[in-house]
Structure formats: C-alpha cells, structure tokens
Amino acid sequence: MSKIDVFISEEQIKQRVKELGEEITRDYKNSDRKLLLIAILKGSVVFLTDLMRNIDCDLMIDFMIVSSYGSGTSSSGNVKIVKDLDSSAYQHDILIVEDILDSGNTLSKVIEILKTRTPHSLKVCALLDKPDRRVSHVDLDYKGFEIPDEFIVGYGLDYDERYRNLPYIGVLTAENM
Ligand code: IMP
Ligand code: MG
C-alpha cells in the first residue's frame, strides 16, 4: 500500500468520536425507546464500531446497502435498496451513521425511505462533512469534522475498494491512484 499523508490523525479521530459518543449518550440516555444505529455499508463500518463503543445506552445496530444509479461518476438521486434492514424501524429512535456526507443524494433518499417506516425519531450522524459538494439538503445532527472538497480515504473510506484499512484519514493524490 503506498504511503498517504495524514490529514486527520488516529488520535484526532479517537478524540472526536469519543465526544460524539458522549453527546449522543446525553441525548438518548433518558429515552425509553430503543436506539437503533443504522450504518450504510461499507464505508461507515469502521466509524460505527468505534462510535457504538462510546455510546452508553441500550442500542441495536443494523445495516443497509444502497446503490445509487444513473449516469456520471458521482452519486445520483436514484437510490435502490440492495440490502434492507433486518429490524423494524417502527417507533424506534433511529440514528443513521454515515462516513461522509458529500452531495447528500444518497442520504437524502435513505432518509426519505426510512421516514415512511414511521420511526419515533430520525437523526443523522456523519463523521465527515464536505459542505461545498452538497446538492441535496440533509440536516446533520452530529458532525465529526468539516472538510474541504478533497477526495479522502482511510478509516473505512475507499478509493476503488482500497485504503479502507488505513487507521487515519488522508487525502488521495495522483500517485496513490
Ligand atoms: P453522496 O450521495 O454524494 O453524499 O455520497 C456519499 C458516499 O460517497 C459516501 O458514503 C462515500 O461512500 C462516498 N464518498 C463521498 N466522498 C468520498 C471521499 O472523499 N472519499 C471516499 N468516499 C467518498
Ligand atoms: Mg464508497
């Protein structure tokens, strides 16, 4: 694996994920409903496993796989569910856990779909936010880091399925492609 410069270090990620977990714990600990964390595969897996261990509430996890189809290289607003939830979202407190919010196309569609399942509440947590790229509006309730418009990899995020196992977040450059 070629060397990628550190953009957000392991230590910075660890600290921020701890803070997010504490914030989420405060917001949900007095709820008498079950908290359901929903991660959208695959990029969010690393973040989910760290975040959930920093949340001190009763919770469940579930996964969705969605594919966005259409023309072009960036995601479109057409989202197809490839793997749906195993659990019911009905009357649960849902927290969607995402790696990165980019155009917002995928997430805004997923939110639309989940809202039809009448959860008790629905919030969104994203580790990274690239606001310059936004096309579809998404309300972010919990945000790790706001980043500029760069293509980043590591900590679950890939370039052509590579670099997900980097323990830190780095910016992809031409020599790493
Ligand atoms: P959106 O529908 O454009 O918001 O797409 C979001 C998805 O695109 C994320 O969940 C990531 O899987 C992927 N993505 C967006 N930006 C990056 C990036 O900089 N690096 C790696 N994956 C990215
Ligand atoms: Mg990806």
Short mmCIF file of all heavy atoms in Angstrom, two decimals, residues 72-114:
data_model
loop_
_atom_site.label_atom_id
_atom_site.label_comp_id
_atom_site.label_asym_id
_atom_site.label_seq_id
_atom_site.Cartn_x
_atom_site.Cartn_y
_atom_site.Cartn_z
N GLY A 72 -22.92 9.21 -14.97
CA GLY A 72 -21.86 10.00 -14.36
C GLY A 72 -21.15 9.27 -13.24
O GLY A 72 -21.52 8.16 -12.86
N THR A 73 -20.13 9.88 -12.70
CA THR A 73 -19.30 9.23 -11.68
C THR A 73 -19.77 9.55 -10.27
O THR A 73 -19.54 8.79 -9.35
CB THR A 73 -17.83 9.68 -11.80
OG1 THR A 73 -17.81 11.11 -11.91
CG2 THR A 73 -17.16 9.07 -13.01
N SER A 74 -20.41 10.69 -10.07
CA SER A 74 -20.87 10.98 -8.72
C SER A 74 -22.27 10.40 -8.53
O SER A 74 -22.93 10.01 -9.49
CB SER A 74 -20.86 12.49 -8.46
OG SER A 74 -21.64 13.13 -9.42
N SER A 75 -22.69 10.34 -7.27
CA SER A 75 -23.94 9.66 -6.97
C SER A 75 -25.12 10.45 -7.51
O SER A 75 -25.08 11.67 -7.58
CB SER A 75 -24.08 9.44 -5.47
OG SER A 75 -24.35 10.66 -4.83
N SER A 76 -26.15 9.74 -7.87
CA SER A 76 -27.34 10.40 -8.37
C SER A 76 -28.42 10.35 -7.31
O SER A 76 -28.22 9.79 -6.24
CB SER A 76 -27.83 9.70 -9.63
OG SER A 76 -28.35 8.44 -9.28
N GLY A 77 -29.55 10.88 -7.58
CA GLY A 77 -30.64 10.84 -6.61
C GLY A 77 -31.44 9.56 -6.68
O GLY A 77 -32.35 9.35 -5.90
N ASN A 78 -31.08 8.67 -7.62
CA ASN A 78 -31.82 7.41 -7.74
C ASN A 78 -31.17 6.35 -6.88
O ASN A 78 -30.09 5.89 -7.19
CB ASN A 78 -31.84 6.94 -9.19
CG ASN A 78 -32.46 7.95 -10.11
OD1 ASN A 78 -33.47 8.55 -9.76
ND2 ASN A 78 -31.84 8.17 -11.24
N VAL A 79 -31.84 5.99 -5.80
CA VAL A 79 -31.24 5.05 -4.87
C VAL A 79 -32.06 3.77 -4.82
O VAL A 79 -33.27 3.80 -4.70
CB VAL A 79 -31.14 5.68 -3.46
CG1 VAL A 79 -30.86 4.63 -2.41
CG2 VAL A 79 -30.02 6.71 -3.45
N LYS A 80 -31.36 2.65 -4.95
CA LYS A 80 -32.01 1.35 -4.89
C LYS A 80 -31.52 0.65 -3.62
O LYS A 80 -30.32 0.66 -3.34
CB LYS A 80 -31.64 0.55 -6.13
CG LYS A 80 -32.44 -0.72 -6.30
CD LYS A 80 -32.06 -1.43 -7.58
CE LYS A 80 -30.75 -2.14 -7.40
NZ LYS A 80 -30.24 -2.85 -8.54
N ILE A 81 -32.43 0.02 -2.88
CA ILE A 81 -32.01 -0.74 -1.69
C ILE A 81 -31.52 -2.11 -2.14
O ILE A 81 -32.27 -2.88 -2.71
CB ILE A 81 -33.17 -0.91 -0.69
CG1 ILE A 81 -33.65 0.46 -0.21
CG2 ILE A 81 -32.72 -1.75 0.50
CD1 ILE A 81 -34.82 0.39 0.76
N VAL A 82 -30.25 -2.40 -1.86
CA VAL A 82 -29.67 -3.70 -2.20
C VAL A 82 -29.82 -4.64 -1.01
O VAL A 82 -30.10 -5.82 -1.16
CB VAL A 82 -28.18 -3.54 -2.57
CG1 VAL A 82 -27.54 -4.89 -2.86
CG2 VAL A 82 -28.03 -2.61 -3.78
N LYS A 83 -29.61 -4.11 0.21
CA LYS A 83 -29.88 -4.87 1.44
C LYS A 83 -30.65 -3.97 2.38
O LYS A 83 -30.16 -2.89 2.74
CB LYS A 83 -28.57 -5.32 2.09
CG LYS A 83 -28.80 -6.23 3.29
CD LYS A 83 -27.95 -5.84 4.49
CE LYS A 83 -28.39 -6.49 5.76
NZ LYS A 83 -29.50 -5.79 6.45
N ASP A 84 -31.80 -4.45 2.79
CA ASP A 84 -32.64 -3.64 3.68
C ASP A 84 -32.35 -4.00 5.15
O ASP A 84 -31.59 -4.93 5.43
CB ASP A 84 -34.12 -3.89 3.35
CG ASP A 84 -35.00 -2.70 3.74
OD1 ASP A 84 -34.59 -1.91 4.62
OD2 ASP A 84 -36.10 -2.59 3.19
N LEU A 85 -32.94 -3.27 6.07
CA LEU A 85 -32.78 -3.54 7.49
C LEU A 85 -33.31 -4.93 7.84
O LEU A 85 -34.25 -5.41 7.21
CB LEU A 85 -33.59 -2.52 8.30
CG LEU A 85 -33.24 -1.05 8.10
CD1 LEU A 85 -34.21 -0.19 8.89
CD2 LEU A 85 -31.81 -0.78 8.54
N ASP A 86 -32.69 -5.56 8.86
CA ASP A 86 -33.25 -6.80 9.41
C ASP A 86 -34.34 -6.47 10.40
O ASP A 86 -35.28 -7.23 10.61
CB ASP A 86 -32.17 -7.61 10.15
CG ASP A 86 -31.08 -8.08 9.21
OD1 ASP A 86 -31.38 -8.28 8.01
OD2 ASP A 86 -29.93 -8.24 9.67
N SER A 87 -34.21 -5.32 11.05
CA SER A 87 -35.13 -4.95 12.11
C SER A 87 -36.17 -3.97 11.59
O SER A 87 -36.00 -3.36 10.54
CB SER A 87 -34.34 -4.33 13.27
OG SER A 87 -33.23 -3.60 12.79
N SER A 88 -37.21 -3.80 12.39
CA SER A 88 -38.23 -2.83 12.04
C SER A 88 -37.82 -1.47 12.59
O SER A 88 -37.29 -1.36 13.69
CB SER A 88 -39.55 -3.27 12.67
OG SER A 88 -40.41 -2.15 12.77
N ALA A 89 -38.07 -0.44 11.82
CA ALA A 89 -37.71 0.91 12.26
C ALA A 89 -38.87 1.54 13.03
O ALA A 89 -38.70 2.55 13.71
CB ALA A 89 -37.37 1.77 11.05
N TYR A 90 -40.02 0.91 12.97
CA TYR A 90 -41.25 1.46 13.53
C TYR A 90 -41.10 1.80 15.02
O TYR A 90 -40.71 0.97 15.82
CB TYR A 90 -42.39 0.44 13.32
CG TYR A 90 -43.70 0.86 13.91
CD1 TYR A 90 -44.45 1.88 13.34
CD2 TYR A 90 -44.20 0.23 15.05
CE1 TYR A 90 -45.66 2.27 13.88
CE2 TYR A 90 -45.41 0.60 15.60
CZ TYR A 90 -46.14 1.63 15.01
OH TYR A 90 -47.34 2.02 15.56
N GLN A 91 -41.36 3.06 15.34
CA GLN A 91 -41.35 3.55 16.72
C GLN A 91 -39.97 3.52 17.41
O GLN A 91 -39.89 3.68 18.63
CB GLN A 91 -42.40 2.81 17.57
CG GLN A 91 -43.83 3.26 17.25
CD GLN A 91 -44.06 4.74 17.58
OE1 GLN A 91 -43.69 5.21 18.64
NE2 GLN A 91 -44.64 5.47 16.64
N HIS A 92 -38.93 3.30 16.66
CA HIS A 92 -37.60 3.35 17.25
C HIS A 92 -36.99 4.74 17.11
O HIS A 92 -37.41 5.52 16.27
CB HIS A 92 -36.67 2.34 16.57
CG HIS A 92 -36.88 0.94 17.00
ND1 HIS A 92 -37.87 0.14 16.48
CD2 HIS A 92 -36.24 0.19 17.92
CE1 HIS A 92 -37.82 -1.04 17.05
NE2 HIS A 92 -36.84 -1.04 17.94
N ASP A 93 -36.01 5.02 17.94
CA ASP A 93 -35.18 6.20 17.74
C ASP A 93 -34.06 5.78 16.78
O ASP A 93 -33.19 4.99 17.16
CB ASP A 93 -34.56 6.67 19.06
CG ASP A 93 -35.57 7.41 19.92
OD1 ASP A 93 -36.41 8.14 19.37
OD2 ASP A 93 -35.51 7.25 21.16
N ILE A 94 -34.12 6.30 15.59
CA ILE A 94 -33.13 5.91 14.58
C ILE A 94 -32.03 6.94 14.48
O ILE A 94 -32.29 8.15 14.44
CB ILE A 94 -33.81 5.74 13.20
CG1 ILE A 94 -34.69 4.51 13.21
CG2 ILE A 94 -32.76 5.63 12.09
CD1 ILE A 94 -35.29 4.20 11.87
N LEU A 95 -30.80 6.45 14.45
CA LEU A 95 -29.66 7.31 14.19
C LEU A 95 -28.88 6.71 13.02
O LEU A 95 -28.31 5.62 13.15
CB LEU A 95 -28.78 7.45 15.44
CG LEU A 95 -27.56 8.36 15.30
CD1 LEU A 95 -27.95 9.80 14.94
CD2 LEU A 95 -26.74 8.37 16.59
N ILE A 96 -28.89 7.40 11.91
CA ILE A 96 -28.12 6.95 10.75
C ILE A 96 -26.66 7.35 10.96
O ILE A 96 -26.37 8.49 11.30
CB ILE A 96 -28.65 7.59 9.44
CG1 ILE A 96 -30.11 7.22 9.21
CG2 ILE A 96 -27.80 7.15 8.25
CD1 ILE A 96 -30.74 7.89 7.99
N VAL A 97 -25.78 6.38 10.79
CA VAL A 97 -24.35 6.62 10.98
C VAL A 97 -23.66 6.55 9.62
O VAL A 97 -23.64 5.50 8.98
CB VAL A 97 -23.75 5.56 11.95
CG1 VAL A 97 -22.26 5.73 12.09
CG2 VAL A 97 -24.43 5.65 13.31
N GLU A 98 -23.13 7.68 9.19
CA GLU A 98 -22.52 7.75 7.86
C GLU A 98 -21.06 8.14 7.97
O GLU A 98 -20.66 8.88 8.87
CB GLU A 98 -23.25 8.81 7.02
CG GLU A 98 -24.15 8.23 5.95
CD GLU A 98 -23.41 7.60 4.77
OE1 GLU A 98 -22.59 6.68 4.97
OE2 GLU A 98 -23.67 8.01 3.64
N ASP A 99 -20.27 7.63 7.04
CA ASP A 99 -18.86 8.01 6.98
C ASP A 99 -18.70 9.46 6.54
O ASP A 99 -18.05 10.26 7.19
CB ASP A 99 -18.07 7.06 6.06
CG ASP A 99 -18.73 6.86 4.69
OD1 ASP A 99 -19.82 7.43 4.43
OD2 ASP A 99 -18.16 6.12 3.86
N ILE A 100 -19.33 9.79 5.40
CA ILE A 100 -19.11 11.12 4.84
C ILE A 100 -20.35 11.60 4.10
O ILE A 100 -21.02 10.84 3.42
CB ILE A 100 -17.87 11.10 3.91
CG1 ILE A 100 -17.52 12.50 3.40
CG2 ILE A 100 -18.03 10.14 2.74
CD1 ILE A 100 -16.14 12.59 2.78
N LEU A 101 -20.64 12.85 4.30
CA LEU A 101 -21.75 13.49 3.59
C LEU A 101 -21.15 14.34 2.49
O LEU A 101 -20.43 15.30 2.75
CB LEU A 101 -22.56 14.33 4.58
CG LEU A 101 -23.85 14.96 4.08
CD1 LEU A 101 -24.79 13.92 3.51
CD2 LEU A 101 -24.53 15.71 5.22
N ASP A 102 -21.46 13.93 1.26
CA ASP A 102 -20.84 14.55 0.09
C ASP A 102 -21.94 15.33 -0.66
O ASP A 102 -22.34 16.39 -0.19
CB ASP A 102 -20.21 13.43 -0.75
CG ASP A 102 -19.35 13.90 -1.89
OD1 ASP A 102 -18.66 14.92 -1.73
OD2 ASP A 102 -19.35 13.26 -2.95
N SER A 103 -22.45 14.81 -1.76
CA SER A 103 -23.54 15.51 -2.45
C SER A 103 -24.82 15.49 -1.61
O SER A 103 -25.68 16.36 -1.75
CB SER A 103 -23.82 14.87 -3.81
OG SER A 103 -24.47 13.62 -3.65
N GLY A 104 -24.93 14.47 -0.76
CA GLY A 104 -26.14 14.31 0.05
C GLY A 104 -27.23 13.54 -0.69
O GLY A 104 -28.29 13.26 -0.11
N ASN A 105 -26.98 13.17 -1.93
CA ASN A 105 -28.01 12.48 -2.73
C ASN A 105 -28.41 11.15 -2.12
O ASN A 105 -29.59 10.85 -1.99
CB ASN A 105 -27.51 12.24 -4.16
CG ASN A 105 -27.51 13.52 -4.98
OD1 ASN A 105 -28.23 14.46 -4.67
ND2 ASN A 105 -26.70 13.56 -6.02
N THR A 106 -27.42 10.34 -1.74
CA THR A 106 -27.71 9.02 -1.19
C THR A 106 -28.47 9.15 0.13
O THR A 106 -29.54 8.56 0.32
CB THR A 106 -26.40 8.24 -0.93
OG1 THR A 106 -25.59 8.31 -2.10
CG2 THR A 106 -26.68 6.80 -0.57
N LEU A 107 -27.93 9.96 1.01
CA LEU A 107 -28.51 10.07 2.34
C LEU A 107 -29.92 10.66 2.31
O LEU A 107 -30.81 10.20 3.04
CB LEU A 107 -27.59 10.90 3.23
CG LEU A 107 -27.68 10.64 4.71
CD1 LEU A 107 -27.59 9.16 5.01
CD2 LEU A 107 -26.57 11.37 5.45
N SER A 108 -30.15 11.65 1.47
CA SER A 108 -31.49 12.25 1.46
C SER A 108 -32.54 11.24 0.99
O SER A 108 -33.66 11.23 1.49
CB SER A 108 -31.52 13.53 0.62
OG SER A 108 -31.20 13.26 -0.71
N LYS A 109 -32.14 10.35 0.09
CA LYS A 109 -33.07 9.29 -0.35
C LYS A 109 -33.29 8.26 0.75
O LYS A 109 -34.41 7.80 0.97
CB LYS A 109 -32.53 8.58 -1.60
CG LYS A 109 -32.73 9.37 -2.86
CD LYS A 109 -34.21 9.42 -3.23
CE LYS A 109 -34.44 10.51 -4.27
NZ LYS A 109 -35.83 10.76 -4.59
N VAL A 110 -32.21 7.88 1.43
CA VAL A 110 -32.33 6.90 2.52
C VAL A 110 -33.25 7.46 3.62
O VAL A 110 -34.10 6.76 4.17
CB VAL A 110 -30.94 6.53 3.08
CG1 VAL A 110 -31.05 5.74 4.38
CG2 VAL A 110 -30.15 5.73 2.05
N ILE A 111 -33.08 8.73 3.92
CA ILE A 111 -33.92 9.37 4.94
C ILE A 111 -35.39 9.33 4.52
O ILE A 111 -36.27 9.00 5.31
CB ILE A 111 -33.45 10.82 5.18
CG1 ILE A 111 -32.09 10.82 5.90
CG2 ILE A 111 -34.47 11.61 6.01
CD1 ILE A 111 -31.41 12.19 5.95
N GLU A 112 -35.61 9.64 3.25
CA GLU A 112 -36.98 9.61 2.72
C GLU A 112 -37.61 8.21 2.88
O GLU A 112 -38.75 8.07 3.32
CB GLU A 112 -36.89 9.96 1.23
CG GLU A 112 -38.11 10.62 0.63
CD GLU A 112 -37.83 10.95 -0.85
OE1 GLU A 112 -37.05 11.91 -1.09
OE2 GLU A 112 -38.33 10.24 -1.72
N ILE A 113 -36.81 7.18 2.55
CA ILE A 113 -37.29 5.80 2.66
C ILE A 113 -37.58 5.45 4.13
O ILE A 113 -38.64 4.91 4.46
CB ILE A 113 -36.25 4.80 2.08
CG1 ILE A 113 -36.13 4.99 0.56
CG2 ILE A 113 -36.61 3.36 2.42
CD1 ILE A 113 -34.91 4.31 -0.07
N LEU A 114 -36.64 5.79 5.02
CA LEU A 114 -36.81 5.41 6.43
C LEU A 114 -37.97 6.15 7.09
O LEU A 114 -38.62 5.62 8.00
CB LEU A 114 -35.51 5.63 7.20
CG LEU A 114 -34.38 4.67 6.84
CD1 LEU A 114 -33.11 5.02 7.60
CD2 LEU A 114 -34.78 3.22 7.10
#
